């Protein structure tokens, strides 16, 4: 242990310190999972940035060399059992056993390394947390710093914007893009997409958030007005009853049960160029499967029946979109650690020929296998309960 801290102290003294990682918490239930340390240059002062990685958030603090040694001696081996130190000349690994016995390993390196002194705040962000609406929405402080308990939400927002932007760039739009966000809730993702598109795209963006809760609609419209955002509003309505004037992109994230189907239906009937859904519930299909009494070696177990209902629900939604002239993708929305509702279903309108008979046969086979008599989206679209 003493030898390790000697090597660490020397790397700080001769400026050969590149980075360090602390891992394997002593207590398995510790919310603090890792600590990452890197040198930074802040206002012409060399400091060491500690990123504390908790289960659902990150915290960052900066220390000078002396404070860095003090912090690390408090963390190792009391809090973390594994340490990886990277310097310009060697890699050093410290492993501490359950009984507290330290093992030190070092390896000289031949590669040329550089010390990265860039500050994390210099990294390009898709979303600017200093914008006033993020404070008014409760994600940041007045100074534009993301609140500790909202960092996982901010990460989700940035990932969402990145995915939607990538999908949009594969689609041709006119000079004006009309977007409806169904079941927009508090508006985090709606504001994020509006901010990103109005900043990074040269087309006129017309955004409408659809939300049934009157208080949320009123609060959000006050924020929109206060921030002077143009062509952006929230409307009080159910997803089923919403009637857009123009619609290029329909978005529905975690609309509950058949509300996701209602949203897809609006997109299809209004010939939307893009339909983007993060499906939420599978209750309608689960009830059909339970009613039929059909089970196999997998679905006879309740938890697998639930998971299969989720997969069937979203697979049929994707196939119905294909039947209606959309090229579909199913992708991961965000990391599974943040939410189990992490599937994103994307339908992009295409002019390519469609083999509707084949798609209908695929859906029919899937439904018949599990005794599903009725599919909500198909019934709404074609006024008939099933494919039989």
């Amino acid at each position: 242990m003493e030898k390790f801290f000697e090597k660490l102290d020397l790397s700080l003294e001769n400026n050969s310190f590149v980075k360090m990682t602390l891992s394997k918490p002593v207590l398995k239930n510790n919310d603090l999972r890792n600590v990452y340390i890197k040198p930074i240059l802040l206002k012409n002062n060399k400091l060491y940035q500690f990123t504390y990685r908790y289960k659902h958030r990150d915290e960052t603090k900066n220390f000078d060399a002396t404070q860095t040694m003090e912090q690390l001696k408090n963390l190792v081996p009391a809090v973390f059992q594994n340490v990886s130190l990277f310097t310009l000349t060697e890699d050093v690994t410290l492993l501490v056993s359950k009984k507290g016995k330290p093992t030190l390993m070092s390896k000289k390196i031949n590669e040329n390394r550089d010390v990265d002194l860039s500050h994390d705040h210099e990294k390009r962000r898709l979303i600017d947390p200093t914008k006033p609406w993020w404070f008014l929405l409760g994600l940041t402080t007045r100074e534009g710093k993301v609140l500790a308990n909202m960092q996982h939400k901010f990460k989700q927002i940035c990932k969402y914007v990145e995915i939607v932007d990538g999908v949009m760039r594969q689609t041709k739009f006119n000079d004006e893009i009309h977007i409806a966000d169904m079941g927009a809730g508090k508006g985090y993702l709606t504001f994020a997409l509006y901010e990103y598109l109005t900043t990074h795209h040269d087309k006129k963006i017309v955004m409408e958030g659809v939300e049934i809760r009157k208080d949320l609609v009123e609060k959000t419209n006050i924020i929109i007005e206060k921030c002077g955002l143009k062509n952006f509003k929230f409307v009080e309505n159910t997803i089923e009853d919403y009637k857009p004037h123009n619609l290029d992109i329909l978005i529905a994230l975690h609309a509950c049960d058949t509300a996701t189907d209602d949203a897809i239906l609006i997109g299809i009937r209004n010939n939307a160029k893009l339909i983007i859904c993060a499906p939420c519930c599978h209750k309608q299909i689960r009830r059909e499967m339970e009613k039929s009494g059909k089970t196999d070696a997998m679905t006879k177990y309740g938890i697998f029946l639930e998971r299969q209902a989720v997969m069937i629900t979203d697979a049929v939604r994707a196939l119905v979109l294909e039947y209606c002239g959309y090229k579909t993708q199913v992708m991961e929305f965000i990391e599974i650690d943040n939410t189990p509702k992490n599937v994103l279903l994307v339908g992009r309108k295409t002019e390519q020929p469609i083999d509707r008979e084949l798609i209908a046969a695929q859906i029919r086979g899937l439904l018949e296998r599990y005794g599903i008599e009725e599919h909500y989206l198909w019934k709404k679209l074609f006024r008939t309960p099933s494919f039989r």
Side-chain angles (χ1 to χ4, degrees):
M1 191 70 68
E2 185 178 343
K3 185 68 173 177
F4 169 76
F5 281 107
E6 286 178 3
K7 286 179 176 289
L8 173 59
D9 190 39
L10 179 62
S11 71
L12 297 176
E13 186 178 336
N14 65 15
N15 294 319
S16 65
F17 181 97
V18 176
K19 62 181 179 179
M20 178 184 283
T21 300
L22 310 186
S23 59
K24 197 177 180 182
V26 173
L27 301 177
K28 291 184 177 180
N29 61 350
N30 192 344
D31 193 39
L32 180 61
R33 311 310 301 164
N34 297 93
V35 180
Y36 303 99
I37 303 110
K38 58 166 286 187
I40 63 170
L41 196 62
L42 192 61
K43 296 181 179 178
N44 295 321
N45 293 319
K46 188 173 183 180
L47 300 174
Y48 295 87
Q49 183 181 80
F50 282 56
T51 299
Y52 299 86
R53 177 68 47 82
Y54 293 88
K55 188 174 181 180
H56 292 304
R57 60 188 173 89
D58 289 351
E59 287 184 6
T60 302
K61 295 181 181 179
N62 300 326
F63 301 105
D64 62 26
T66 302
Q67 292 169 328
T68 294
M69 286 295 294
E70 292 173 357
Q71 291 295 318
L72 289 169
K73 285 182 178 180
N74 290 332
L75 291 168
V76 182
V79 181
F80 290 98
Q81 294 178 294
N82 290 1
V83 185
S84 298
L85 168 64
F86 302 89
T87 76
L88 293 175
T89 58
E90 65 179 337
D91 294 341
V92 182
T93 302
L94 175 69
L95 305 176
V96 182
S97 70
K98 291 181 179 179
K99 295 182 178 181
K101 180 183 177 181
T103 301
L104 187 66
M105 297 175 286
S106 63
K107 178 184 177 182
K108 298 292 182 182
I109 62 162
N110 296 319
E111 63 182 273
N112 292 322
R113 284 180 178 170
D114 294 321
V115 177
D116 180 11
L117 295 176
S118 62
H119 194 279
D120 279 354
H121 290 287
E122 295 171 1
K123 294 181 179 178
R124 176 180 172 269
R125 291 180 184 261
L126 295 174
I127 299 301
D128 183 358
T130 65
K131 296 295 185 184
W133 44 86
W134 294 121
F135 168 69
L136 296 171
L137 287 167
L139 253 76
T140 68
T141 63
R142 286 186 180 275
E143 294 74 30
K145 183 178 180 180
V146 179
L147 297 172
N149 63 339
M150 298 302 289
Q151 289 197 15
H152 69 286
K153 174 61 70 175
F154 192 77
K155 181 180 180 181
Q156 180 190 36
I157 288 169
C158 291
K159 182 64 175 177
Y160 160 75
V161 167
E162 181 182 346
I163 291 174
V164 175
D165 178 54
V167 173
M168 286 182 63
R169 291 186 184 278
Q170 302 174 48
T171 309
K172 291 184 178 179
F173 295 99
N174 297 325
D175 291 336
E176 191 168 290
I177 304 177
H178 291 257
I179 305 172
D181 188 357
M182 316 300 289
K186 296 179 180 179
Y188 299 139
L189 300 179
T190 324
F191 274 81
L193 188 58
Y194 175 87
E195 176 191 327
Y196 181 83
L197 294 179
T198 53
T199 304
H200 295 86
H201 284 248
D202 58 358
K203 297 181 183 297
K204 180 181 178 182
I205 303 300
V206 180
M207 180 77 75
E208 206 161 64
V210 181
E211 172 56 46
I212 193 172
R213 288 167 287 184
K214 184 177 181 179
D215 58 328
L216 290 181
V217 172
E218 291 176 348
K219 178 182 177 181
T220 310
N221 280 330
I222 289 171
I223 293 173
I224 290 171
E225 184 178 359
K226 186 176 291 187
C227 295
L229 304 178
K230 306 296 183 184
N231 304 310
F232 185 17
K233 66 178 178 179
F234 268 49
V235 295
E236 181 187 347
N237 211 334
T238 63
I239 292 176
E240 187 176 9
D241 294 333
Y242 175 67
K243 292 179 174 57
H245 299 294
N246 292 291
L247 187 61
D248 296 302
I249 301 175
L250 179 131
I251 296 169
L253 304 182
H254 304 153
C256 192
D257 200 7
T258 54
T260 294
D261 298 302
D262 288 325
I264 292 172
L265 182 65
I266 289 172
I268 292 172
R269 286 181 171 170
N270 287 274
N271 206 32
K273 294 181 178 181
L274 270 180
I275 297 175
I276 303 172
C277 298
C280 179
C281 297
H282 56 276
K283 294 177 184 177
Q284 189 257 322
I285 293 297
R286 168 88 186 241
R287 286 192 296 266
E288 288 285 319
M289 293 173 71
E290 290 174 332
K291 186 172 65 176
S292 73
K294 281 191 176 183
T295 59
D296 54 24
M298 179 171 59
T299 57
K300 70 177 183 178
Y301 303 103
I303 189 171
F304 291 150
L305 173 65
E306 180 178 340
R307 291 177 182 177
Q308 192 72 347
V310 171
M311 293 175 66
I312 293 170
T313 301
D314 295 340
V316 171
R317 285 166 173 164
L319 287 167
V320 170
L321 278 168
E322 289 183 10
Y323 186 93
C324 295
Y326 288 82
K327 182 178 180 181
T328 59
Q329 291 175 271
V330 179
M331 63 184 78
E332 188 178 63
F333 184 12
I334 55 172
E335 290 83 351
I336 197 72
D337 288 345
N338 285 330
T339 173
K341 304 170 185 176
N342 71 323
V343 169
L344 197 68
L345 172 60
V346 177
R348 188 186 304 109
K349 194 70 174 176
T350 178
E351 300 300 326
Q352 295 177 358
I354 304 160
D355 189 343
R356 287 192 169 88
E357 288 187 11
L358 174 62
I359 297 170
Q362 291 173 335
I363 299 175
R364 188 184 302 115
L366 191 58
L367 300 183
E368 286 179 350
R369 179 179 175 183
Y370 293 98
I372 298 168
E373 293 288 339
E374 179 179 305
H375 188 272
Y376 181 88
L377 179 56
W378 184 265
K379 182 179 179 180
K380 281 276 191 173
L381 270 170
F382 300 107
R383 310 296 182 189
T384 179
S386 70
F387 288 81
R388 296 189 179 91

